Amino acid sequence: NCSYFKHFTPGETSEIFEVTTQKEYSISAAAIAIFSVGFVIIGTICVLLSFRKKRDYLLKPASMFYTFAG
């Protein structure tokens, strides 16, 4: 019941209050989430390789991948 909004929108056309989700936003949000998961996986691989083989120079790229994922 939108009788309160009749004061602001006289008549039957109250298209301002309709909420619709746009498909483009959903697709872009899914793409960003997939890229974030990819960055987390690459960062985890860098961390595991640096701890296993004692390669400390891989920790900086791993931190950058985690930052990009955020």
Side-chain angles (χ1 to χ4, degrees), residues 40-57:
V40 167
I41 290 171
I42 295 172
T44 303
I45 290 171
C46 287
V47 167
L48 291 177
L49 286 176
S50 71
F51 285 153
R52 183 173 296 178
K53 307 263 183 168
K54 299 294 182 190
R55 297 178 182 164
D56 292 336
Y57 59 88

Side-chain angles (χ1 to χ4, degrees), residues 3 7 14-15 21 26 41-42 45 49-52 59-60 70:
S3 61
H7 175 72
S14 60
E15 297 177 2
T21 58
S26 299
I41 290 171
I42 295 172
I45 290 171
L49 286 176
S50 71
F51 285 153
R52 183 173 296 178
L59 291 176
K60 284 185 182 180

